[in-house]
Amino acid sequence: MPGLLRGVARTAVVAGTATAVSNRVSRRQQGRWAAQAQQSQGYQQPQGYQEAPPPPPAPTTSTADDMTNKIDQLKQLGELKAQGILSEAEFEEQKRRLLA
């Protein structure tokens, strides 16, 4: 019986050593293959992170409201000119200021 135990123990040690060596070889090969794959794909580590520019401001309804107000004011200026309250020069000056 002692010979049998010694044989089983030796087999276990040999099998355990073989498994450890096999695992180590497999890990080493996977590392090499990964390095080769990165080189063949032209992989490069990014040098730094560049932040994206901020998005442009969204158009607001105030822009549309401003345009509507300007149109209304131009209509009023036209009516004042038609009534003779504003001269041609005054009308042109007010229009220029409004559109500036």
Side-chain angles (χ1 to χ4, degrees):
M1 198 69 164
L4 182 61
L5 271 179
R6 190 177 301 161
V8 170
R10 184 180 299 152
T11 304
V13 168
V14 169
T17 304
T19 302
V21 169
S22 175
N23 287 340
R24 185 170 180 207
V25 169
S26 293
R27 283 193 302 269
R28 220 186 258 173
Q29 284 178 343
Q30 286 176 348
R32 287 181 186 161
W33 291 339
Q36 287 176 354
Q38 286 178 350
Q39 288 175 354
S40 68
Q41 293 175 0
Y43 177 78
Q44 294 178 350
Q45 290 279 343
Q47 296 299 321
Y49 176 76
Q50 184 176 3
E51 221 174 281
T60 60
T61 56
S62 63
T63 306
D65 292 340
D66 288 343
M67 184 60 77
T68 304
N69 288 339
K70 287 182 181 183
I71 292 172
D72 290 340
Q73 290 175 352
L74 284 172
K75 286 180 183 177
Q76 289 175 354
L77 286 175
E79 291 173 5
L80 291 174
K81 180 184 165 205
Q83 294 172 3
I85 299 173
L86 290 178
S87 68
E88 181 68 25
E90 292 172 329
F91 172 78
E92 290 298 323
E93 164 128 28
Q94 292 297 325
K95 183 172 84 169
R96 182 184 58 78
R97 285 185 183 174
L98 183 64
L99 297 176

